[in-house]
Amino acid sequence: MKAWSANAFPIPVVAVGAGSQPAEDEDFDYLPMPSGMDTFAPPRLPDQIDPAARATAVATLEGLLAAMRAWSFGSAGHPVVDLGGLDSTSLALINDALGQGEVSARVDGSPALRIQETVFAGIWRVIETDAAGRRLADRIEACAMPAEVAARSRAAARAALTPPPPPVGVMNAPAVLAELLHAVDKHRAGSAAHIVNLTLLPMNPADLTWLVEVLGVGPTVILSRGYGNCRITATALANTWWVQYFNSADTLILNTIEVTALPDVAPAAADDFADSIARLAEWTAALCEA
């Protein structure tokens, strides 16, 4: 596995609207969409490991492990390890040791965020870049999901909106929008998600097009490959997300809108986080002996 660079971060996600197929994105390389659930497989280490780089990588991962063990999952102050000061050889070894997991995200803005879950659920690689794509910060965060994903999406969104009159051909979208606006108004931190399943509703292309235009697009796109192939796109309305599931042929099979702080399909669960601590401890021990 090659070291990640500021200009070639492997986030295979694109913003897509309701009922649409993913468009070509020249800035990112797409990973093959899996046909079933992934199972844990340890990352592959290089055949030859520089002793100094190994010592640095082991010390970094042991520090991360200690912080994860001391932290109560879901509480404030989650573990963060700054990688900005590491040499390229040690950084490349840490990349190899952590691998790439099932969830990727990007958050546009200043700075832009590129986020990749490692093979250890709840351990995230977070890179900040400027408008020219230059890397500003590089870190590991251990948590359900880096907090800036939801926070930056919420900060860029509107608390309410006044929709324009629907054009000819729009039938059911205004009723769906009214339901969403009511759910947004009633939403409070910690409340259950309000989900509108567009797949089960009589929505024609004009309905979907108007709904996309009215809701707008926020700064965040997430791809989750853990439970099928799921693309999650923030809208410009607060706490409102397109959640779209695709089959192995990348055909849309389930199209929903969720009013929630962050859809449940994206964050890591507490049980997965605990499992990652055990697996990372074993893998760090193996790295010491490599």
PDB file of all heavy atoms in Angstrom, residues 192-229:
ATOM      1  N   ALA A 192     -35.014  10.148  17.617  1.00  0.00           N
ATOM      2  CA  ALA A 192     -34.927   9.109  16.598  1.00  0.00           C
ATOM      3  C   ALA A 192     -35.033   9.720  15.204  1.00  0.00           C
ATOM      4  O   ALA A 192     -35.644  10.780  15.012  1.00  0.00           O
ATOM      5  CB  ALA A 192     -36.036   8.079  16.799  1.00  0.00           C
ATOM      6  N   ALA A 193     -34.431   9.045  14.237  1.00  0.00           N
ATOM      7  CA  ALA A 193     -34.471   9.529  12.862  1.00  0.00           C
ATOM      8  C   ALA A 193     -35.886   9.452  12.302  1.00  0.00           C
ATOM      9  O   ALA A 193     -36.630   8.500  12.572  1.00  0.00           O
ATOM     10  CB  ALA A 193     -33.529   8.709  12.001  1.00  0.00           C
ATOM     11  N   HIS A 194     -36.257  10.455  11.535  1.00  0.00           N
ATOM     12  CA  HIS A 194     -37.522  10.434  10.787  1.00  0.00           C
ATOM     13  C   HIS A 194     -37.161  10.077   9.346  1.00  0.00           C
ATOM     14  O   HIS A 194     -36.408  10.807   8.694  1.00  0.00           O
ATOM     15  CB  HIS A 194     -38.217  11.788  10.843  1.00  0.00           C
ATOM     16  CG  HIS A 194     -39.527  11.808  10.129  1.00  0.00           C
ATOM     17  ND1 HIS A 194     -40.728  11.542  10.761  1.00  0.00           N
ATOM     18  CD2 HIS A 194     -39.842  12.054   8.820  1.00  0.00           C
ATOM     19  CE1 HIS A 194     -41.718  11.618   9.890  1.00  0.00           C
ATOM     20  NE2 HIS A 194     -41.203  11.929   8.697  1.00  0.00           N
ATOM     21  N   ILE A 195     -37.670   8.961   8.850  1.00  0.00           N
ATOM     22  CA  ILE A 195     -37.269   8.440   7.550  1.00  0.00           C
ATOM     23  C   ILE A 195     -38.448   8.448   6.585  1.00  0.00           C
ATOM     24  O   ILE A 195     -39.527   7.942   6.907  1.00  0.00           O
ATOM     25  CB  ILE A 195     -36.716   6.999   7.683  1.00  0.00           C
ATOM     26  CG1 ILE A 195     -35.521   6.983   8.641  1.00  0.00           C
ATOM     27  CG2 ILE A 195     -36.313   6.459   6.311  1.00  0.00           C
ATOM     28  CD1 ILE A 195     -34.990   5.599   8.943  1.00  0.00           C
ATOM     29  N   VAL A 196     -38.236   9.033   5.413  1.00  0.00           N
ATOM     30  CA  VAL A 196     -39.221   9.014   4.332  1.00  0.00           C
ATOM     31  C   VAL A 196     -38.679   8.101   3.238  1.00  0.00           C
ATOM     32  O   VAL A 196     -37.618   8.383   2.661  1.00  0.00           O
ATOM     33  CB  VAL A 196     -39.479  10.420   3.772  1.00  0.00           C
ATOM     34  CG1 VAL A 196     -40.445  10.363   2.589  1.00  0.00           C
ATOM     35  CG2 VAL A 196     -40.019  11.335   4.864  1.00  0.00           C
ATOM     36  N   ASN A 197     -39.375   7.013   2.965  1.00  0.00           N
ATOM     37  CA  ASN A 197     -38.941   6.051   1.960  1.00  0.00           C
ATOM     38  C   ASN A 197     -39.535   6.435   0.612  1.00  0.00           C
ATOM     39  O   ASN A 197     -40.693   6.148   0.317  1.00  0.00           O
ATOM     40  CB  ASN A 197     -39.366   4.643   2.367  1.00  0.00           C
ATOM     41  CG  ASN A 197     -38.776   3.582   1.466  1.00  0.00           C
ATOM     42  OD1 ASN A 197     -38.319   3.863   0.354  1.00  0.00           O
ATOM     43  ND2 ASN A 197     -38.786   2.343   1.935  1.00  0.00           N
ATOM     44  N   LEU A 198     -38.736   7.090  -0.218  1.00  0.00           N
ATOM     45  CA  LEU A 198     -39.220   7.529  -1.524  1.00  0.00           C
ATOM     46  C   LEU A 198     -39.480   6.364  -2.468  1.00  0.00           C
ATOM     47  O   LEU A 198     -40.281   6.483  -3.399  1.00  0.00           O
ATOM     48  CB  LEU A 198     -38.207   8.484  -2.154  1.00  0.00           C
ATOM     49  CG  LEU A 198     -37.882   9.756  -1.374  1.00  0.00           C
ATOM     50  CD1 LEU A 198     -36.819  10.561  -2.110  1.00  0.00           C
ATOM     51  CD2 LEU A 198     -39.132  10.593  -1.141  1.00  0.00           C
ATOM     52  N   THR A 199     -38.808   5.242  -2.227  1.00  0.00           N
ATOM     53  CA  THR A 199     -38.981   4.083  -3.098  1.00  0.00           C
ATOM     54  C   THR A 199     -40.409   3.564  -3.052  1.00  0.00           C
ATOM     55  O   THR A 199     -40.917   3.033  -4.050  1.00  0.00           O
ATOM     56  CB  THR A 199     -38.002   2.968  -2.695  1.00  0.00           C
ATOM     57  OG1 THR A 199     -36.677   3.505  -2.629  1.00  0.00           O
ATOM     58  CG2 THR A 199     -38.010   1.819  -3.703  1.00  0.00           C
ATOM     59  N   LEU A 200     -41.059   3.708  -1.919  1.00  0.00           N
ATOM     60  CA  LEU A 200     -42.410   3.191  -1.746  1.00  0.00           C
ATOM     61  C   LEU A 200     -43.488   4.207  -2.105  1.00  0.00           C
ATOM     62  O   LEU A 200     -44.679   3.884  -2.052  1.00  0.00           O
ATOM     63  CB  LEU A 200     -42.615   2.728  -0.298  1.00  0.00           C
ATOM     64  CG  LEU A 200     -41.692   1.601   0.188  1.00  0.00           C
ATOM     65  CD1 LEU A 200     -41.984   1.281   1.647  1.00  0.00           C
ATOM     66  CD2 LEU A 200     -41.830   0.368  -0.681  1.00  0.00           C
ATOM     67  N   LEU A 201     -43.076   5.413  -2.470  1.00  0.00           N
ATOM     68  CA  LEU A 201     -44.050   6.464  -2.780  1.00  0.00           C
ATOM     69  C   LEU A 201     -44.190   6.643  -4.292  1.00  0.00           C
ATOM     70  O   LEU A 201     -43.236   6.409  -5.041  1.00  0.00           O
ATOM     71  CB  LEU A 201     -43.612   7.785  -2.141  1.00  0.00           C
ATOM     72  CG  LEU A 201     -43.561   7.811  -0.613  1.00  0.00           C
ATOM     73  CD1 LEU A 201     -43.017   9.149  -0.134  1.00  0.00           C
ATOM     74  CD2 LEU A 201     -44.929   7.540  -0.009  1.00  0.00           C
ATOM     75  N   PRO A 202     -45.352   7.105  -4.742  1.00  0.00           N
ATOM     76  CA  PRO A 202     -45.555   7.352  -6.184  1.00  0.00           C
ATOM     77  C   PRO A 202     -44.897   8.662  -6.613  1.00  0.00           C
ATOM     78  O   PRO A 202     -45.569   9.677  -6.828  1.00  0.00           O
ATOM     79  CB  PRO A 202     -47.076   7.404  -6.314  1.00  0.00           C
ATOM     80  CG  PRO A 202     -47.555   7.874  -4.980  1.00  0.00           C
ATOM     81  CD  PRO A 202     -46.596   7.303  -3.966  1.00  0.00           C
ATOM     82  N   MET A 203     -43.578   8.625  -6.721  1.00  0.00           N
ATOM     83  CA  MET A 203     -42.814   9.816  -7.085  1.00  0.00           C
ATOM     84  C   MET A 203     -42.394   9.718  -8.544  1.00  0.00           C
ATOM     85  O   MET A 203     -41.698   8.779  -8.938  1.00  0.00           O
ATOM     86  CB  MET A 203     -41.573   9.933  -6.196  1.00  0.00           C
ATOM     87  CG  MET A 203     -41.859   9.968  -4.703  1.00  0.00           C
ATOM     88  SD  MET A 203     -42.523  11.555  -4.159  1.00  0.00           S
ATOM     89  CE  MET A 203     -41.050  12.560  -4.246  1.00  0.00           C
ATOM     90  N   ASN A 204     -42.806  10.691  -9.364  1.00  0.00           N
ATOM     91  CA  ASN A 204     -42.381  10.689 -10.759  1.00  0.00           C
ATOM     92  C   ASN A 204     -41.082  11.481 -10.914  1.00  0.00           C
ATOM     93  O   ASN A 204     -40.611  12.111  -9.956  1.00  0.00           O
ATOM     94  CB  ASN A 204     -43.493  11.246 -11.661  1.00  0.00           C
ATOM     95  CG  ASN A 204     -43.826  12.699 -11.346  1.00  0.00           C
ATOM     96  OD1 ASN A 204     -42.958  13.494 -11.004  1.00  0.00           O
ATOM     97  ND2 ASN A 204     -45.104  13.057 -11.455  1.00  0.00           N
ATOM     98  N   PRO A 205     -40.433  11.450 -12.077  1.00  0.00           N
ATOM     99  CA  PRO A 205     -39.170  12.174 -12.251  1.00  0.00           C
ATOM    100  C   PRO A 205     -39.265  13.665 -11.927  1.00  0.00           C
ATOM    101  O   PRO A 205     -38.315  14.241 -11.380  1.00  0.00           O
ATOM    102  CB  PRO A 205     -38.837  11.938 -13.731  1.00  0.00           C
ATOM    103  CG  PRO A 205     -39.472  10.619 -14.037  1.00  0.00           C
ATOM    104  CD  PRO A 205     -40.752  10.609 -13.244  1.00  0.00           C
ATOM    105  N   ALA A 206     -40.395  14.299 -12.252  1.00  0.00           N
ATOM    106  CA  ALA A 206     -40.546  15.721 -11.935  1.00  0.00           C
ATOM    107  C   ALA A 206     -40.571  15.946 -10.426  1.00  0.00           C
ATOM    108  O   ALA A 206     -40.009  16.937  -9.927  1.00  0.00           O
ATOM    109  CB  ALA A 206     -41.828  16.264 -12.571  1.00  0.00           C
ATOM    110  N   ASP A 207     -41.217  15.035  -9.679  1.00  0.00           N
ATOM    111  CA  ASP A 207     -41.215  15.118  -8.217  1.00  0.00           C
ATOM    112  C   ASP A 207     -39.794  15.082  -7.672  1.00  0.00           C
ATOM    113  O   ASP A 207     -39.406  15.904  -6.827  1.00  0.00           O
ATOM    114  CB  ASP A 207     -42.012  13.949  -7.621  1.00  0.00           C
ATOM    115  CG  ASP A 207     -43.510  14.135  -7.724  1.00  0.00           C
ATOM    116  OD1 ASP A 207     -43.993  15.237  -7.461  1.00  0.00           O
ATOM    117  OD2 ASP A 207     -44.196  13.157  -8.066  1.00  0.00           O
ATOM    118  N   LEU A 208     -39.019  14.103  -8.137  1.00  0.00           N
ATOM    119  CA  LEU A 208     -37.665  13.924  -7.623  1.00  0.00           C
ATOM    120  C   LEU A 208     -36.764  15.098  -7.993  1.00  0.00           C
ATOM    121  O   LEU A 208     -35.988  15.575  -7.162  1.00  0.00           O
ATOM    122  CB  LEU A 208     -37.083  12.614  -8.156  1.00  0.00           C
ATOM    123  CG  LEU A 208     -37.785  11.337  -7.680  1.00  0.00           C
ATOM    124  CD1 LEU A 208     -37.223  10.129  -8.405  1.00  0.00           C
ATOM    125  CD2 LEU A 208     -37.649  11.175  -6.172  1.00  0.00           C
ATOM    126  N   THR A 209     -36.894  15.569  -9.213  1.00  0.00           N
ATOM    127  CA  THR A 209     -36.070  16.701  -9.647  1.00  0.00           C
ATOM    128  C   THR A 209     -36.369  17.946  -8.814  1.00  0.00           C
ATOM    129  O   THR A 209     -35.448  18.648  -8.364  1.00  0.00           O
ATOM    130  CB  THR A 209     -36.325  16.987 -11.135  1.00  0.00           C
ATOM    131  OG1 THR A 209     -35.935  15.847 -11.904  1.00  0.00           O
ATOM    132  CG2 THR A 209     -35.530  18.201 -11.595  1.00  0.00           C
ATOM    133  N   TRP A 210     -37.634  18.229  -8.591  1.00  0.00           N
ATOM    134  CA  TRP A 210     -38.006  19.409  -7.808  1.00  0.00           C
ATOM    135  C   TRP A 210     -37.543  19.273  -6.360  1.00  0.00           C
ATOM    136  O   TRP A 210     -37.035  20.234  -5.763  1.00  0.00           O
ATOM    137  CB  TRP A 210     -39.526  19.592  -7.850  1.00  0.00           C
ATOM    138  CG  TRP A 210     -40.006  20.837  -7.179  1.00  0.00           C
ATOM    139  CD1 TRP A 210     -39.921  22.113  -7.643  1.00  0.00           C
ATOM    140  CD2 TRP A 210     -40.664  20.928  -5.896  1.00  0.00           C
ATOM    141  NE1 TRP A 210     -40.486  23.004  -6.754  1.00  0.00           N
ATOM    142  CE2 TRP A 210     -40.941  22.301  -5.664  1.00  0.00           C
ATOM    143  CE3 TRP A 210     -41.044  19.983  -4.939  1.00  0.00           C
ATOM    144  CZ2 TRP A 210     -41.582  22.747  -4.513  1.00  0.00           C
ATOM    145  CZ3 TRP A 210     -41.682  20.427  -3.789  1.00  0.00           C
ATOM    146  CH2 TRP A 210     -41.944  21.790  -3.573  1.00  0.00           C
ATOM    147  N   LEU A 211     -37.657  18.071  -5.799  1.00  0.00           N
ATOM    148  CA  LEU A 211     -37.244  17.856  -4.413  1.00  0.00           C
ATOM    149  C   LEU A 211     -35.737  18.047  -4.259  1.00  0.00           C
ATOM    150  O   LEU A 211     -35.278  18.654  -3.286  1.00  0.00           O
ATOM    151  CB  LEU A 211     -37.657  16.445  -3.976  1.00  0.00           C
ATOM    152  CG  LEU A 211     -37.758  16.179  -2.471  1.00  0.00           C
ATOM    153  CD1 LEU A 211     -38.710  17.157  -1.803  1.00  0.00           C
ATOM    154  CD2 LEU A 211     -38.219  14.740  -2.233  1.00  0.00           C
ATOM    155  N   VAL A 212     -34.978  17.558  -5.228  1.00  0.00           N
ATOM    156  CA  VAL A 212     -33.529  17.768  -5.199  1.00  0.00           C
ATOM    157  C   VAL A 212     -33.203  19.254  -5.265  1.00  0.00           C
ATOM    158  O   VAL A 212     -32.360  19.761  -4.511  1.00  0.00           O
ATOM    159  CB  VAL A 212     -32.850  17.017  -6.368  1.00  0.00           C
ATOM    160  CG1 VAL A 212     -31.389  17.451  -6.506  1.00  0.00           C
ATOM    161  CG2 VAL A 212     -32.930  15.524  -6.162  1.00  0.00           C
ATOM    162  N   GLU A 213     -33.859  19.977  -6.158  1.00  0.00           N
ATOM    163  CA  GLU A 213     -33.582  21.408  -6.313  1.00  0.00           C
ATOM    164  C   GLU A 213     -33.946  22.190  -5.062  1.00  0.00           C
ATOM    165  O   GLU A 213     -33.227  23.118  -4.658  1.00  0.00           O
ATOM    166  CB  GLU A 213     -34.350  21.943  -7.523  1.00  0.00           C
ATOM    167  CG  GLU A 213     -33.838  21.409  -8.856  1.00  0.00           C
ATOM    168  CD  GLU A 213     -34.694  21.851 -10.019  1.00  0.00           C
ATOM    169  OE1 GLU A 213     -35.777  22.446  -9.771  1.00  0.00           O
ATOM    170  OE2 GLU A 213     -34.309  21.606 -11.173  1.00  0.00           O
ATOM    171  N   VAL A 214     -35.058  21.843  -4.431  1.00  0.00           N
ATOM    172  CA  VAL A 214     -35.502  22.585  -3.259  1.00  0.00           C
ATOM    173  C   VAL A 214     -34.611  22.299  -2.046  1.00  0.00           C
ATOM    174  O   VAL A 214     -34.209  23.220  -1.316  1.00  0.00           O
ATOM    175  CB  VAL A 214     -36.969  22.256  -2.932  1.00  0.00           C
ATOM    176  CG1 VAL A 214     -37.375  22.845  -1.586  1.00  0.00           C
ATOM    177  CG2 VAL A 214     -37.888  22.782  -4.033  1.00  0.00           C
ATOM    178  N   LEU A 215     -34.277  21.033  -1.831  1.00  0.00           N
ATOM    179  CA  LEU A 215     -33.469  20.669  -0.666  1.00  0.00           C
ATOM    180  C   LEU A 215     -32.021  21.098  -0.830  1.00  0.00           C
ATOM    181  O   LEU A 215     -31.337  21.390   0.158  1.00  0.00           O
ATOM    182  CB  LEU A 215     -33.539  19.163  -0.421  1.00  0.00           C
ATOM    183  CG  LEU A 215     -34.883  18.621   0.079  1.00  0.00           C
ATOM    184  CD1 LEU A 215     -34.818  17.105   0.235  1.00  0.00           C
ATOM    185  CD2 LEU A 215     -35.273  19.264   1.409  1.00  0.00           C
ATOM    186  N   GLY A 216     -31.529  21.124  -2.058  1.00  0.00           N
ATOM    187  CA  GLY A 216     -30.149  21.507  -2.284  1.00  0.00           C
ATOM    188  C   GLY A 216     -29.169  20.442  -1.843  1.00  0.00           C
ATOM    189  O   GLY A 216     -29.549  19.355  -1.388  1.00  0.00           O
ATOM    190  N   VAL A 217     -27.899  20.747  -1.971  1.00  0.00           N
ATOM    191  CA  VAL A 217     -26.832  19.802  -1.643  1.00  0.00           C
ATOM    192  C   VAL A 217     -25.895  20.438  -0.634  1.00  0.00           C
ATOM    193  O   VAL A 217     -25.436  21.566  -0.817  1.00  0.00           O
ATOM    194  CB  VAL A 217     -26.051  19.379  -2.899  1.00  0.00           C
ATOM    195  CG1 VAL A 217     -24.914  18.422  -2.532  1.00  0.00           C
ATOM    196  CG2 VAL A 217     -26.986  18.717  -3.914  1.00  0.00           C
ATOM    197  N   GLY A 218     -25.607  19.712   0.438  1.00  0.00           N
ATOM    198  CA  GLY A 218     -24.684  20.182   1.456  1.00  0.00           C
ATOM    199  C   GLY A 218     -23.253  19.806   1.133  1.00  0.00           C
ATOM    200  O   GLY A 218     -22.953  19.293   0.058  1.00  0.00           O
ATOM    201  N   PRO A 219     -22.334  20.016   2.078  1.00  0.00           N
ATOM    202  CA  PRO A 219     -20.906  19.827   1.793  1.00  0.00           C
ATOM    203  C   PRO A 219     -20.412  18.395   1.950  1.00  0.00           C
ATOM    204  O   PRO A 219     -19.257  18.121   1.614  1.00  0.00           O
ATOM    205  CB  PRO A 219     -20.243  20.726   2.836  1.00  0.00           C
ATOM    206  CG  PRO A 219     -21.188  20.681   4.004  1.00  0.00           C
ATOM    207  CD  PRO A 219     -22.570  20.625   3.399  1.00  0.00           C
ATOM    208  N   THR A 220     -21.269  17.486   2.439  1.00  0.00           N
ATOM    209  CA  THR A 220     -20.779  16.177   2.870  1.00  0.00           C
ATOM    210  C   THR A 220     -21.343  15.036   2.037  1.00  0.00           C
ATOM    211  O   THR A 220     -22.540  14.997   1.753  1.00  0.00           O
ATOM    212  CB  THR A 220     -21.150  15.938   4.351  1.00  0.00           C
ATOM    213  OG1 THR A 220     -20.590  16.999   5.138  1.00  0.00           O
ATOM    214  CG2 THR A 220     -20.612  14.608   4.847  1.00  0.00           C
ATOM    215  N   VAL A 221     -20.456  14.118   1.667  1.00  0.00           N
ATOM    216  CA  VAL A 221     -20.860  12.873   1.015  1.00  0.00           C
ATOM    217  C   VAL A 221     -20.150  11.723   1.726  1.00  0.00           C
ATOM    218  O   VAL A 221     -18.952  11.800   2.006  1.00  0.00           O
ATOM    219  CB  VAL A 221     -20.503  12.851  -0.475  1.00  0.00           C
ATOM    220  CG1 VAL A 221     -21.014  11.574  -1.127  1.00  0.00           C
ATOM    221  CG2 VAL A 221     -21.063  14.059  -1.187  1.00  0.00           C
ATOM    222  N   ILE A 222     -20.895  10.665   2.029  1.00  0.00           N
ATOM    223  CA  ILE A 222     -20.357   9.492   2.716  1.00  0.00           C
ATOM    224  C   ILE A 222     -20.676   8.259   1.884  1.00  0.00           C
ATOM    225  O   ILE A 222     -21.778   8.145   1.335  1.00  0.00           O
ATOM    226  CB  ILE A 222     -20.977   9.333   4.122  1.00  0.00           C
ATOM    227  CG1 ILE A 222     -20.764  10.590   4.955  1.00  0.00           C
ATOM    228  CG2 ILE A 222     -20.404   8.121   4.844  1.00  0.00           C
ATOM    229  CD1 ILE A 222     -21.554  10.616   6.264  1.00  0.00           C
ATOM    230  N   LEU A 223     -19.728   7.354   1.786  1.00  0.00           N
ATOM    231  CA  LEU A 223     -19.967   6.056   1.175  1.00  0.00           C
ATOM    232  C   LEU A 223     -19.736   4.979   2.217  1.00  0.00           C
ATOM    233  O   LEU A 223     -18.656   4.902   2.807  1.00  0.00           O
ATOM    234  CB  LEU A 223     -19.034   5.823  -0.016  1.00  0.00           C
ATOM    235  CG  LEU A 223     -19.058   4.413  -0.614  1.00  0.00           C
ATOM    236  CD1 LEU A 223     -20.428   4.096  -1.191  1.00  0.00           C
ATOM    237  CD2 LEU A 223     -17.980   4.254  -1.681  1.00  0.00           C
ATOM    238  N   SER A 224     -20.756   4.170   2.461  1.00  0.00           N
ATOM    239  CA  SER A 224     -20.641   3.044   3.385  1.00  0.00           C
ATOM    240  C   SER A 224     -20.825   1.753   2.613  1.00  0.00           C
ATOM    241  O   SER A 224     -21.823   1.573   1.919  1.00  0.00           O
ATOM    242  CB  SER A 224     -21.694   3.145   4.494  1.00  0.00           C
ATOM    243  OG  SER A 224     -21.671   1.984   5.306  1.00  0.00           O
ATOM    244  N   ARG A 225     -19.865   0.852   2.733  1.00  0.00           N
ATOM    245  CA  ARG A 225     -19.932  -0.411   2.021  1.00  0.00           C
ATOM    246  C   ARG A 225     -20.158  -1.588   2.969  1.00  0.00           C
ATOM    247  O   ARG A 225     -19.964  -2.726   2.607  1.00  0.00           O
ATOM    248  CB  ARG A 225     -18.636  -0.634   1.237  1.00  0.00           C
ATOM    249  CG  ARG A 225     -18.348   0.479   0.231  1.00  0.00           C
ATOM    250  CD  ARG A 225     -17.072   0.207  -0.548  1.00  0.00           C
ATOM    251  NE  ARG A 225     -15.924   0.111   0.347  1.00  0.00           N
ATOM    252  CZ  ARG A 225     -14.945  -0.773   0.186  1.00  0.00           C
ATOM    253  NH1 ARG A 225     -14.978  -1.634  -0.791  1.00  0.00           N
ATOM    254  NH2 ARG A 225     -13.933  -0.774   1.033  1.00  0.00           N
ATOM    255  N   GLY A 226     -20.567  -1.291   4.208  1.00  0.00           N
ATOM    256  CA  GLY A 226     -20.732  -2.354   5.187  1.00  0.00           C
ATOM    257  C   GLY A 226     -22.028  -3.119   5.037  1.00  0.00           C
ATOM    258  O   GLY A 226     -22.067  -4.334   5.217  1.00  0.00           O
ATOM    259  N   TYR A 227     -23.109  -2.450   4.733  1.00  0.00           N
ATOM    260  CA  TYR A 227     -24.422  -3.078   4.600  1.00  0.00           C
ATOM    261  C   TYR A 227     -24.932  -2.797   3.190  1.00  0.00           C
ATOM    262  O   TYR A 227     -25.762  -1.929   2.974  1.00  0.00           O
ATOM    263  CB  TYR A 227     -25.386  -2.536   5.653  1.00  0.00           C
ATOM    264  CG  TYR A 227     -24.922  -2.801   7.064  1.00  0.00           C
ATOM    265  CD1 TYR A 227     -24.190  -1.855   7.756  1.00  0.00           C
ATOM    266  CD2 TYR A 227     -25.195  -4.016   7.692  1.00  0.00           C
ATOM    267  CE1 TYR A 227     -23.745  -2.097   9.049  1.00  0.00           C
ATOM    268  CE2 TYR A 227     -24.756  -4.261   8.979  1.00  0.00           C
ATOM    269  CZ  TYR A 227     -24.037  -3.301   9.649  1.00  0.00           C
ATOM    270  OH  TYR A 227     -23.593  -3.543  10.919  1.00  0.00           O
ATOM    271  N   GLY A 228     -24.389  -3.510   2.210  1.00  0.00           N
ATOM    272  CA  GLY A 228     -24.654  -3.165   0.834  1.00  0.00           C
ATOM    273  C   GLY A 228     -23.826  -1.945   0.463  1.00  0.00           C
ATOM    274  O   GLY A 228     -22.836  -1.616   1.119  1.00  0.00           O
ATOM    275  N   ASN A 229     -24.209  -1.275  -0.593  1.00  0.00           N
ATOM    276  CA  ASN A 229     -23.490  -0.104  -1.069  1.00  0.00           C
ATOM    277  C   ASN A 229     -24.371   1.118  -0.839  1.00  0.00           C
ATOM    278  O   ASN A 229     -25.383   1.291  -1.509  1.00  0.00           O
ATOM    279  CB  ASN A 229     -23.175  -0.250  -2.561  1.00  0.00           C
ATOM    280  CG  ASN A 229     -22.519  -1.590  -2.840  1.00  0.00           C
ATOM    281  OD1 ASN A 229     -21.670  -2.028  -2.087  1.00  0.00           O
ATOM    282  ND2 ASN A 229     -22.925  -2.247  -3.920  1.00  0.00           N
TER     283      ASN A 229
END
